[in-house]
Amino acid sequence: MSATLTGSTTTKRDRDMQPAVKLNRPKGRFNLPGGAAGWLWLAIIIIPIYYIVITSLKTQAGYFSQNPLAFPAKPTLENYKMVIEADFTRYFFNSVIITVGAVIPTLIVAFMASFAIVRGNGKFLKGVNALFLMGLAIPLQATIIPVYLMIIKMNLYDSLLAIILPSVAFAIPLSVLIMCNFIRDVPNELFESMRLDGCSEWQTMWRLALPLTKPAIVTVGIYNGLGVWNGFLLPLILTQSPELRVLPLGLWTFQGEFSVNIPAVLASVVLSTLPVLALYILGRRQLLSGLTAGFSK
Amino acid sequence: MSTNNLTTSPLRRQRQKAVEASKGKTGQLAWLAVPALIFFIVFAIIPLAGVFLLSFTTWDGIGAISVAGIANWLSVFTDPGMYHALWLTFVVMILSWIIQTPISLLLGTFTAGSQKYRALLAVLYFLPLLLSSAAIAIAYKALLDPNFGLAAGLHLPFLAQDWLGNPNLALGVVIFVIAWQFVPFHTLIYQGGVRQIPRSIYEAAEIDGAGRVKQFFFITVPQLKYTIITSSTLMTVGSLTYFDLIFVLTNGGPGNATRILPLDMYLTGFRANLMGPASVTAVVLVVIGLVMALVLQRLGGKDRTGSQLEGM
């Protein structure tokens, strides 16, 4: 109808002018197959997690003698102590460094690029956008061999920076996509009034677009942060020193060294998850919306 | 409708002109995209070209790189191991989709309901999302122990198998653990999708006498078309990156029973020090990823201008 007459850009602009669609929860609907699947799936999720937690509190003797699903006769935190003494604090801080070190630059460069793509025009920016969109369809892990070669040539092999730089690059396409969608939703009238007030695009970006894009920035930050925090391939390939291990890598080597001491291995699993679990308890909604990074939008 | 159209479109055009006028000059704004572009070109585009070039070279990962012509391609494509890995990759991809999609769809619809207990269940469902693949793999190794794992705990002797040592069982275990890890993610996507379906459609269906099951198949599922495509795209392209989970859980074994393509690339390149053949595998991975994304996108039709995965 009107879209065919005036082109799709108009409808897109038009959509921006409408209030956000209200969420419609189907309320109070009885759902038998869903319920059955729901409780069954709960068991599938909870039993393994319960097993991990209680086993991590068992002594090795208890592990071998008790029923595996029974609560430990003598709960002990000895395993946790052992894990922490095995340099897990260092792994924890390494993980924090690479996560913060990768997420913050990603957010800054992706935000600036998104602002330019939405607000600017011309072939260059269109090309940049197309390039990032293409990047979404490529399993970037497949480029790990040349990344490894380049990191060696740059003399960065076996450093935390070696993990950070490719992490930023891999995170850019999706971050730009989500932020662009958000900046597009900012009513044009607001940009217009900034312009009439004599603000430069640079000022508009920081004073108008940044505050309005905050939810998207948090979402993208969480999504990328979790990806880097739990990432395994880049640290495995681009570092080798024990003192540069990040948590997932530390878990893996710990498991290799202490494979006979299952309670301690599982204590390391629990410990490595605690920071994210704390985040989940504190800001579940934010975290969950970050996890899907707006895929469900 | 058409009169409405005539009155509104000039206004719209005017507004569009204003939009164009208010946009900054390209020269001012373009440089804002440059930092992101540099990162992406250096660590994504150059490696992408690099992996193609390296597939025509011989390199052990440490020493000098020498040109090998098409030798790597010939050796990889005459190696039955490659076809085995390719086959396993597709088996994992397709079985993962068949298992995860209905479960996620059902759970997504279920948790989208507003009942309190469902919200509570949802909090627990999403716990696996917090764990790293390495943590999940390590935990499952302990869980699957026939003597001290779940089988002994639940007193179910049929669960006491050598899950990771039996080539026929190991692949099933891998597919199960992948589902355990990723169903919560897709449930979350479907939950969001279901909540966006307008309530009025269900009300209309109820008036017409459609039951719950009919509503699910004739409203929920069709309304979730794009969510299904998004979720399926993420699932299939994602299955080309399952590396860490399988690496820690089985390391491709027993034998080659779980050596899927991404793992094969790592083991060939970084363990056997054959970077040339590993690069060939990487090129194959990139091509499969692009083709899968394009095919799924085509299935979704071209009317998805507002879609999140536009351009995939």
Side-chain angles (χ1 to χ4, degrees):
Chain A
M1 289 168 288
S2 57
T4 49
L5 264 178
T6 54
S8 60
T9 3
T10 320
T11 40
K12 212 186 276 171
R13 293 288 152 199
D14 218 37
R15 193 196 60 199
D16 300 343
M17 310 310 295
Q18 287 162 3
V21 182
K22 274 190 187 162
L23 296 184
N24 270 295
R25 290 173 172 222
K27 57 171 185 223
R29 292 152 49 80
F30 181 70
N31 178 348
L32 185 67
W39 289 105
L40 183 67
W41 190 255
L42 182 71
I44 293 175
I45 296 295
I46 287 304
I47 293 174
I49 292 176
Y50 170 77
Y51 173 86
I52 297 168
V53 175
I54 58 153
T55 308
S56 75
L57 297 170
K58 282 180 180 168
T59 58
Q60 241 182 313
Y63 170 74
F64 286 120
S65 59
Q66 269 193 298
N67 178 305
L69 288 178
F71 197 79
K74 288 183 217 138
T76 170
L77 289 174
E78 236 3 74
N79 300 316
Y80 286 88
K81 206 177 136 208
M82 181 181 161
V83 173
I84 290 169
E85 278 165 4
D87 237 7
F88 260 63
T89 16
R90 190 195 287 269
Y91 305 159
F92 172 81
F93 283 112
N94 286 338
S95 280
V96 171
I97 293 169
I98 62 157
T99 305
V100 175
V103 169
I104 298 208
T106 304
L107 293 179
I108 295 171
V109 300
F111 173 70
M112 295 199 308
S114 311
F115 182 82
I117 288 168
V118 174
R119 295 288 302 156
N121 42 28
K123 279 205 180 102
F124 174 73
L125 287 171
K126 281 211 178 78
V128 171
N129 193 28
L131 192 68
F132 289 158
L133 288 174
M134 190 196 76
L136 284 172
I138 299 167
L140 289 171
Q141 286 82 345
T143 63
I144 193 67
I145 294 169
V147 167
Y148 168 73
L149 174 62
M150 284 164 59
I151 290 289
I152 292 175
K153 295 279 178 213
M154 291 167 153
N155 275 325
L156 288 173
Y157 180 73
D158 204 22
S159 70
L160 292 179
L161 196 60
I163 306 171
I164 291 173
L165 294 175
S167 300
V168 174
F170 290 5
I172 283 174
L174 190 64
S175 308
V176 168
L177 180 72
I178 294 164
M179 290 187 190
C180 276
N181 281 338
F182 245 81
I183 299 174
R184 261 188 212 111
D185 284 346
V186 175
N188 190 54
E189 280 72 5
L190 293 178
F191 285 116
E192 184 64 8
S193 64
M194 287 295 276
R195 197 177 64 92
L196 291 175
D197 288 345
C199 289
S200 67
E201 289 286 342
W202 177 256
Q203 288 167 320
T204 310
M205 178 169 76
W206 297 115
R207 291 201 207 147
L208 176 72
L210 182 68
L212 290 174
T213 320
K214 219 177 119 198
I217 292 175
V218 173
T219 296
V220 170
I222 291 171
Y223 184 82
N224 292 333
L226 240 118
V228 177
W229 181 269
N230 285 336
F232 186 81
L233 182 66
L234 290 176
L236 176 71
I237 286 175
L238 302 175
T239 63
Q240 59 176 11
S241 314
E243 60 270 18
L244 289 177
R245 277 178 202 149
V246 292
L247 278 174
L249 208 53
L251 270 183
W252 177 63
T253 48
F254 186 80
Q255 177 244 193
E257 286 164 31
F258 294 88
S259 55
V260 282
N261 191 348
I262 299 293
V265 168
L266 292 178
S268 73
V269 167
V270 175
L271 264 185
S272 76
T273 313
L274 280 186
V276 191
L277 186 69
L279 199 68
Y280 186 65
I281 292 166
L282 292 174
R284 186 166 49 85
R285 272 171 215 289
Q286 284 283 8
L287 184 70
L288 290 181
S289 71
L291 275 169
T292 50
F295 287 125
S296 56
K297 204 184 162 188
Chain B
M1 276 323 255
S2 59
T3 42
N4 187 17
N5 224 342
L6 284 172
T7 52
T8 53
S9 53
L11 274 174
R12 282 207 184 119
R13 284 211 188 98
Q14 237 173 18
R15 195 160 74 210
Q16 181 153 14
K17 264 186 199 162
V19 167
E20 295 304 327
S22 79
K23 284 195 170 188
K25 293 198 177 68
T26 315
Q28 276 181 344
L29 280 174
W31 69 270
L32 288 174
V34 169
L37 188 65
I38 290 174
F39 263 111
F40 193 67
I41 287 179
V42 172
F43 288 102
I45 300 298
I46 293 177
L48 204 57
V51 81
F52 189 69
L53 292 177
L54 281 174
S55 73
F56 297 101
T57 65
T58 305
W59 184 37
D60 62 4
I62 305 152
I65 303 173
S66 58
V67 177
I70 57 165
N72 295 324
W73 287 84
L74 288 177
S75 78
V76 167
F77 281 97
T78 51
D79 174 14
M82 172 67 177
Y83 296 100
H84 180 67
L86 206 55
W87 163 247
L88 284 181
T89 310
F90 281 113
V91 168
V92 170
M93 185 189 280
I94 291 163
L95 286 182
S96 292
W97 188 85
I98 291 175
I99 293 168
Q100 291 180 40
T101 301
I103 298 178
S104 312
L105 193 56
L106 208 56
L107 289 175
T109 312
F110 177 68
T111 54
S114 61
Q115 289 93 329
K116 276 271 150 43
Y117 80 99
R118 293 191 188 179
L120 187 73
L121 289 186
V123 171
L124 299 171
Y125 287 157
F126 299 138
L127 285 175
L129 290 171
L130 311 177
L131 286 99
S132 66
S133 301
I136 291 175
I138 290 167
Y140 264 95
K141 274 179 153 176
L143 273 160
L144 293 169
D145 188 295
N147 299 315
F148 305 104
L150 271 188
L154 295 168
H155 299 293
L156 295 172
F158 74 93
L159 279 178
Q161 307 273 355
D162 186 10
W163 290 107
L164 298 171
N166 181 334
N168 296 321
L169 296 177
L171 190 67
V173 170
V174 163
I175 292 168
F176 174 82
V177 180
I178 290 173
W180 193 85
Q181 183 178 15
F182 289 101
V183 160
F185 178 75
H186 295 281
T187 299
L188 203 52
I189 293 181
Y190 282 118
Q191 183 195 48
V194 171
R195 285 184 177 165
Q196 306 240 321
I197 301 174
R199 183 87 193 99
S200 52
I201 302 185
Y202 289 102
E203 280 157 6
E206 232 151 86
I207 292 166
D208 290 345
R212 297 280 182 239
V213 177
K214 268 196 173 163
Q215 285 182 26
F216 179 77
F217 284 107
F218 293 100
I219 299 175
T220 311
V221 175
Q223 285 284 321
L224 289 177
K225 186 183 170 197
Y226 295 134
T227 314
I228 293 172
I229 288 165
T230 302
S231 158
S232 304
T233 309
L234 292 170
M235 242 181 238
T236 44
V237 178
S239 69
L240 299 174
T241 63
Y242 296 153
F243 160 79
D244 28 17
L245 185 87
I246 302 179
F247 176 67
V248 178
L249 194 62
T250 66
N251 197 15
N256 282 336
T258 54
R259 189 172 165 134
I260 67 165
L261 223 45
L263 187 62
D264 182 67
M265 176 187 80
Y266 172 81
L267 294 174
T268 309
F270 292 91
R271 290 296 154 107
N273 296 324
L274 297 168
M275 293 296 185
S279 300
V280 175
T281 309
V283 173
V284 172
L285 272 174
V286 171
V287 171
I288 297 174
L290 281 171
V291 170
M292 294 300 300
L294 283 175
V295 167
L296 283 160
Q297 208 54 27
R298 199 44 62 84
L299 284 178
K302 288 185 173 173
D303 51 336
R304 303 183 62 207
T305 36
S307 140
Q308 290 290 324
L309 290 173
E310 183 182 358
M312 269 189 76

